[in-house]
Amino acid sequence: MQEIIARHQEMAIKSYLRILPHAAHMDFAQFMTAYFQLMQRQSTETTLLINAGLTNTLIKTFRTV
């Protein structure tokens, strides 16, 4: 189950990154802003994962992507 959740998180982040403006270069601040905007949009889902003790899944997904 954890692997399915991790894959879903990875796919969500990757598809969000694909719709970002295609600037020639995206600096770290822009990337992190985009990431936290996604997390804000998925706050309910993220809270559920944290409450279920799956914080490491969120961290692993962030590192992977």
Side-chain angles (χ1 to χ4, degrees):
M1 188 62 147
Q2 222 171 344
E3 184 64 28
I4 292 169
I5 293 169
R7 295 281 181 177
H8 172 73
Q9 290 293 309
E10 287 176 24
M11 288 173 31
I13 293 171
K14 287 177 181 177
S15 43
Y16 184 73
L17 291 176
R18 283 188 195 107
I19 64 170
L20 291 176
H22 295 286
H25 176 70
M26 189 172 193
D27 66 21
F28 185 72
Q30 291 170 317
F31 174 77
M32 291 307 298
T33 300
Y35 175 75
F36 286 116
Q37 286 172 344
L38 172 65
M39 289 296 101
Q40 182 179 21
R41 289 185 181 121
Q42 293 184 338
S43 62
T44 302
E45 181 180 313
T46 302
T47 301
L48 286 172
L49 292 174
I50 291 168
N51 291 340
L54 297 174
T55 305
N56 285 336
T57 300
L58 294 170
I59 294 168
K60 178 185 170 194
T61 302
F62 174 78
R63 287 182 179 160
T64 300
V65 175

